[in-house]
């Protein structure tokens, strides 16, 4: 972001206090901040008692005797699936809809909490029959169908650890995740619907497990009825194995610190990190934030989080948080614009959605399409709007509130990460006077700060790095199989504090503005992809000698991937062959990582700007990619390199 854009942001004067009627009925009041400030651990303890059902109470709220390895609710025991499903049935809410599922072709299914209890129990019995039990890893590679939530909860029920892999990831990305976690079972489907067509999943699984030594079975849900290859030694159909199971299953309690799941996310090196989350603290903070940030009223609200289950937002705000709270929610399989751009607004109208949680990229896309499309639908049921995944610019915020929220709904801009497990910084809709573009303040019970390079807290009106200064219940416990990387990545930059990797500013009121990543992680449409990951994919192509990748700002997707590539001798194309090789390389990246990682632009260059010590100067490449005046080139080994690159860039665009 340029300094001008930033100071414009920080002079954002518009304020949106909560409407009085909203504030009067809100779950969260101002008193929460004071309570948490007075005694943070007692605050979390009260929340844990009120929001969750425990089989055994903890003996200690937080064990921080061996930082950065935290234990929350030590000695406590609970079953996460029981908390998300059974207890709502026991409390008399078995007939309440848990999931209004909408398939892309227009088919739909309704599952009540009683249905969920039966489905999750059957799936848990099937896991047992397949030899999957406590501590075993299960990879889940599914489209957005109810079985995805059922499979996750069935794992939680038996104490197996799920590792959900986004269905848009490639066979290779799936393979490396299966291998890292040594998964015993893969749960997948023949395919799912995307943009009006069945997209296959099973072939990628076949490829990913072909050489696996850990995978014993692949459990396949039938969704699209596509032809699939079948390996009788490994493959089993969901409808053969799960449907015939008993719908009774005894949910045994598991330890509060038992691993609930692993979710891989991009870091600054090529190898994705398996973020490990555990049970009690994670479920507590997802439930607490879901209830207070979205003001959930389980009897009357219809909540819709548009995230895919393959990302952390799908884990925390489609499965665990909402279900722990007994919410009624919408789950949608497909793309926002199929069969036409108003599909989401049809869904809001059809189900009477009251709370909508989505990403700025989607909001900016709708904004470009104009007010008429949502304007033709009745969106008056909406009462809270949420945003997540990337900074939301004030204009998109204002548009979201005005056009989607009818100028009436609070908008909550929620900052968090795969690693934090749940929302950390956000307004409370009945309390905070909202500032478009700012996530504002840490939630009650959470401690965040902005520090300078030396780790000193910056005064109001200044910027630096976002850190979290106290452990929180849903924090990652480690990186799967790599404690040292956990320490190095998050806890070594600033002594005793968690380094989030985000830049931030505090304005004159002390409100926080999140400014994007300060490391080599890009944020494309709210998806984290590291520059090194894309670079390694590019150099794995036989024609590529070297590559450098940067995230260039993009008005819709936040950032776009721009790659600079040096070809091997002999591979250099003539003018006509240039676009051919560029397409070949883009497809190669899609094959290695997934279509979301395809570079927006690939530049074939003869040199890359390097310092005398051989480090690539990405800053300069970003200047080129964003058509900016070049910054300081003094430290370059060969300052003329940049002229060559800039010339190449302008002739290709
Ligand atoms: C960015 C998604 C600004 C941030 C839940 C963070 C945000 C990364 C916001 C985590 C927000 C997320 N404002 N930036 N409200 N929410 N981010 O792990 O850079 O996919 O570090 O988790 O997204 O992405 P992740």
């Amino acid at each position: 972001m340029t300094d001008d854009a930033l100071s414009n942001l920080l002079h954002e004067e518009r304020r949106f206090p909560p409407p009085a009627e909203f504030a009067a009925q809100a779950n969260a009041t101002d008193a929460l901040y004071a309570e948490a400030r007075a005694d943070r651990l007692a605050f979390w303890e009260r929340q844990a008692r009120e929001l969750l059902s425990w089989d055994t109470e903890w003996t200690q709220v937080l064990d921080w005797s061996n930082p950065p390895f935290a234990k929350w609710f030590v000695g406590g025991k609970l079953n996460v699936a029981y908390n998300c499903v059974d207890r709502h049935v026991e409390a008399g809410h078995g007939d309440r809809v848990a999931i209004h599922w909408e398939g892309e072709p227009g088919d739909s299914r309704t599952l009540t909490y009683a249905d969920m209890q039966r489905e999750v129990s059957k799936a848990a019995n099937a896991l047992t029959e397949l030899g999957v039990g406590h501590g075993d890893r299960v990879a889940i590679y599914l489209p957005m169908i109810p079985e995805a939530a059922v499979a996750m909860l069935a794992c939680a029920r038996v104490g197996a650890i799920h590792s959900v892999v986004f269905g848009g990831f490639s066979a290779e990305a799936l393979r490396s995740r299966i291998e890292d976690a040594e998964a015993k079972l893969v749960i997948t489907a023949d395919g799912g619907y995307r943009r009006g067509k069945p997209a296959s999943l099973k072939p990628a699984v076949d490829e990913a497990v072909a050489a696996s030594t850990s995978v014993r079975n692949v459990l396949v849900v039938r969704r699209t009825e596509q032809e699939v290859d079948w390996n009788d030694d490994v493959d089993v159909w969901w409808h053969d194995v799960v449907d015939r199971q008993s719908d009774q299953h005894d949910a045994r309690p598991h330890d509060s610190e038992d691993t609930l799941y692993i979710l891989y996310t991009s870091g600054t090196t090529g190898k994705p990190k398996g973020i490990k989350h555990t049970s009690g603290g994670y479920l507590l903070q997802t439930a607490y934030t879901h209830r207070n940030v979205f003001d959930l009223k389980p009897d009357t609200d219809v909540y819709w989080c548009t995230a895919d289950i393959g990302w952390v937002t799908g884990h925390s705000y489609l499965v665990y948080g909402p279900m722990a709270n007994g919410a009624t929610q919408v789950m949608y399989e497909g793309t926002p614009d199929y069969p036409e751009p108003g599909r989401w607004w049809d869904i809001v109208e059809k189900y009477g959605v009251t709370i909508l949680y989505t990403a700025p990229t989607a909001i900016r896309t709708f904004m470009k399409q104009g007010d008429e499309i949502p304007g033709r639908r009745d969106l008056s049921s909406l009462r809270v709007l949420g945003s997540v995944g990337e900074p939301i610019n004030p204009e998109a915020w204002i548009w979201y509130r005005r056009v989607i929220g009818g100028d009436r709904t609070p908008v909550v801009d929620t900052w968090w990460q795969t690693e934090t497990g749940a929302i950390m910084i956000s307004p409370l809709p009945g309390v905070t006077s909202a500032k478009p573009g700012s996530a504002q303040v840490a939630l009650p019970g959470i401690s965040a700060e902005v520090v300078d390079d030396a780790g000193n807290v910056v005064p109001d009106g200044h910027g630096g790095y976002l850190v979290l200064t106290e452990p929180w219940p849903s924090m990652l416990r480690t990186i799967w199989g790599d404690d040292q990387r956990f320490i190095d990545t998050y806890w070594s930059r600033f002594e005793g504090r968690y380094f989030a990797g985000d830049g931030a500013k505090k304005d004159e009121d002390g409100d926080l503005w999140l400014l994007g990543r300060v490391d080599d992680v890009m944020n494309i449409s709210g998806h984290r992809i590291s520059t090194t990951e894309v670079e390694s994919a590019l150099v794995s192509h036989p024609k590529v000698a070297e590559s450098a990748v940067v995230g260039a700002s993009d008005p819709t997707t936040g950032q776009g991937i721009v790659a600079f590539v040096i070809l091997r001798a002999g591979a250099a194309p003539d003018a006509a062959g240039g676009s051919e090789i560029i397409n070949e390389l883009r497809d190669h990246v899609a094959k290695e990582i997934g279509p979301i990682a395809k570079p927006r632009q690939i530049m074939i260059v003869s040199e890359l700007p390097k310092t005398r010590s051989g480090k690539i100067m990405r800053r300069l490449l970003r200047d080129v990619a964003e058509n900016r005046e070049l910054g300081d080139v003094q430290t370059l080994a060969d300052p003329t390199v940049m002229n060559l690159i800039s010339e190449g860039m302008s002739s290709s665009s």
Side-chain angles (χ1 to χ4, degrees):
M1 190 174 302
T2 64
D3 288 348
D4 275 358
L6 183 59
S7 62
N8 284 344
L9 265 184
L10 297 177
H11 290 110
E12 173 62 60
E13 295 288 345
R14 289 167 286 193
R15 296 289 177 277
F16 296 86
E21 324 79 79
F22 190 101
Q25 57 83 63
N27 292 340
T29 67
D30 220 3
L32 282 184
Y33 292 104
E35 182 195 346
R37 222 173 292 121
D39 187 341
R40 194 170 56 91
L41 297 184
F43 170 81
W44 284 118
E45 194 159 34
R46 176 174 80 80
Q47 297 295 336
R49 281 204 185 96
E50 287 177 12
L51 297 179
L52 301 183
S53 304
W54 299 79
D55 289 82
T56 308
E57 255 220 28
W58 51 92
T59 51
Q60 194 183 0
V61 184
L62 168 67
D63 176 359
W64 192 234
S65 59
N66 179 29
F69 300 96
K71 290 188 184 138
W72 281 86
F73 306 104
V74 184
K77 288 191 191 308
L78 79 173
N79 186 290
V80 169
Y82 170 84
N83 271 273
C84 291
V85 178
D86 305 58
R87 64 173 176 149
H88 307 312
V89 180
E90 287 171 15
H93 305 307
D95 292 338
R96 184 188 292 162
V97 173
I99 300 177
H100 287 295
W101 177 78
E102 175 90 1
E104 198 193 67
D107 49 340
S108 60
R109 283 162 70 186
T110 306
L111 287 104
T112 64
Y113 273 96
D115 294 330
M116 284 300 286
Q117 187 181 31
R118 285 188 286 270
E119 295 305 316
V120 173
S121 296
K122 283 201 255 179
N125 285 321
L127 290 179
T128 308
E129 183 180 308
L130 294 170
V132 173
H134 186 266
D136 289 335
R137 273 81 63 202
V138 176
I140 297 179
Y141 187 65
L142 282 172
M144 286 287 286
I145 54 177
E147 283 78 4
V150 170
M152 290 162 77
L153 290 167
C155 289
R157 198 169 181 100
V158 302
I161 299 167
H162 59 71
S163 161
V164 181
V165 180
F166 173 55
F169 275 130
S170 67
E172 174 49 32
L174 175 63
R175 189 201 59 73
S176 65
R177 286 159 175 77
I178 289 174
E179 183 180 278
D180 187 70
E182 298 169 285
K184 208 169 175 181
L185 176 72
V186 182
I187 305 181
T188 189
D190 45 2
Y193 288 96
R194 271 201 98 64
R195 299 210 161 76
K197 287 194 291 273
S200 65
L201 287 170
K202 177 79 168 40
V205 178
D206 294 343
E207 198 182 323
V209 306
S212 168
T213 49
S214 63
V215 174
R216 289 209 210 147
N217 286 109
V218 176
L219 178 59
V220 189
V221 179
R222 186 137 73 197
R223 163 68 183 134
T224 56
E225 313 206 348
Q226 283 162 288
E227 281 289 317
V228 289
D229 286 343
W230 204 254
N231 175 351
D232 283 325
D233 297 336
V234 179
D235 297 336
V236 286
W237 283 112
W238 178 284
H239 55 260
D240 282 342
V241 178
V242 178
D243 287 0
R244 64 175 160 73
Q245 302 290 332
S246 156
D247 61 12
Q248 306 290 311
H249 181 272
D250 179 23
R252 305 240 179 86
H254 302 295
D255 195 274
S256 177
E257 280 300 331
D258 275 356
T259 305
L260 180 61
Y261 69 80
I262 310 167
L263 182 60
Y264 288 84
T265 188
S266 293
T268 51
T269 72
K271 190 174 181 279
K273 303 175 281 198
I275 302 301
K276 176 177 135 168
H277 282 293
T278 61
S279 304
Y282 172 81
L283 192 65
L284 172 64
Q285 196 176 325
T286 55
Y288 158 78
T289 49
H290 183 259
R291 182 183 137 79
N292 291 299
V293 172
F294 300 115
D295 192 48
L296 180 84
K297 306 285 192 285
D299 293 331
T300 47
D301 275 317
V302 178
Y303 162 85
W304 182 20
C305 166
T306 65
D308 190 280
I309 215 130
W311 308 112
V312 75
T313 307
H315 284 59
S316 300
Y317 296 104
L318 207 140
V319 179
Y320 293 110
M323 297 213 180
N325 290 334
T328 293
Q329 63 179 324
V330 170
M331 179 178 189
Y332 173 55
E333 177 186 37
T335 40
D337 51 358
Y338 187 82
E340 49 97 29
R343 182 66 188 271
W344 275 17
W345 316 123
D346 286 339
I347 294 175
V348 169
E349 187 176 276
K350 175 172 174 187
Y351 295 104
V353 172
T354 60
I355 305 169
L356 179 68
Y357 192 29
T358 194
T361 296
I363 299 165
R364 289 191 292 261
T365 304
F366 293 130
M367 206 170 144
K368 268 202 303 206
Q369 294 165 349
D371 300 7
E372 301 73 38
I373 295 167
R376 284 200 295 273
R377 276 82 179 182
D378 179 5
L379 306 180
S380 61
S381 54
L382 289 167
R383 65 180 200 93
V384 182
L385 301 178
S387 171
V388 61
E390 36 172 338
I392 180 164
N393 46 310
E395 290 326 306
W397 193 107
I398 295 277
W399 185 88
Y400 193 28
R401 186 187 137 104
R402 180 176 62 79
V403 178
I404 306 304
D407 243 338
R408 129 198 116 246
T409 58
V411 173
V412 285
D413 174 12
T414 64
W415 179 90
W416 59 294
Q417 309 176 295
T418 305
E419 292 87 341
T420 69
I423 299 170
M424 303 292 281
I425 302 173
S426 166
L428 288 175
V431 178
T432 318
S433 183
K435 261 182 209 177
S438 168
Q440 298 188 283
V441 286
L443 287 175
I446 301 299
S447 314
E449 254 307 346
V450 179
V451 299
D452 63 17
D453 262 314
N456 302 311
V457 170
V458 303
D460 288 350
H462 288 75
Y465 306 98
L466 182 73
V467 294
L468 302 169
T469 54
E470 298 285 356
W472 62 101
S474 64
M475 66 197 279
L476 77 165
R477 298 304 194 257
T478 189
I479 293 174
W480 182 257
D482 203 344
D483 287 347
Q484 193 56 47
R485 191 175 177 197
F486 170 61
I487 296 170
D488 294 345
T489 310
Y490 304 107
W491 300 94
S492 301
R493 179 78 172 76
F494 301 108
E495 175 80 46
R497 286 163 291 181
Y498 171 90
F499 171 55
D502 276 25
K505 269 228 167 186
K506 277 196 290 194
D507 66 18
E508 297 298 342
D509 304 324
D511 281 325
L512 296 170
W513 296 73
L514 281 310
L515 304 176
R517 306 287 308 185
V518 294
D519 53 14
D520 292 333
V521 174
M522 299 173 286
N523 190 328
I524 317 296
S525 300
H527 302 149
R528 273 166 74 169
I529 299 167
S530 82
T531 53
T532 3
E533 223 176 331
V534 181
E535 285 164 3
S536 351
L538 284 167
V539 296
S540 74
H541 189 284
K543 290 181 184 159
V544 174
E546 215 181 322
S547 84
V549 167
V550 296
S553 62
D554 183 292
T556 306
T557 60
Q559 285 187 309
I561 304 176
V562 178
F564 298 82
V565 167
I566 303 179
L567 296 176
R568 281 184 193 280
D574 53 26
S579 63
E580 221 167 274
I581 185 144
I582 284 169
N583 286 336
E584 192 177 323
L585 294 179
R586 293 181 76 234
D587 290 344
H588 180 70
V589 173
K591 186 174 163 293
E592 289 293 305
I593 306 173
I596 50 167
K598 266 191 186 181
R600 178 183 80 186
Q601 192 174 13
I602 295 183
M603 290 280 309
I604 309 288
V605 294
S606 51
E607 299 277 355
L608 288 170
K610 288 188 185 154
T611 61
R612 285 175 196 94
S613 62
K615 210 169 161 298
I616 291 176
M617 293 189 72
R618 284 171 209 282
R619 176 174 57 79
L620 294 178
L621 292 175
R622 243 185 325 261
D623 286 346
V624 174
E626 293 175 352
N627 296 317
R628 254 199 316 273
E629 192 101 332
L630 285 187
D632 183 13
V633 296
Q634 293 300 315
T635 48
L636 278 180
D638 174 5
T640 60
V641 165
M642 286 318 294
N643 297 336
L644 288 172
I645 293 177
S646 306
E647 280 161 23
M649 191 83 182
S650 47
S651 64
S652 80
S653 54

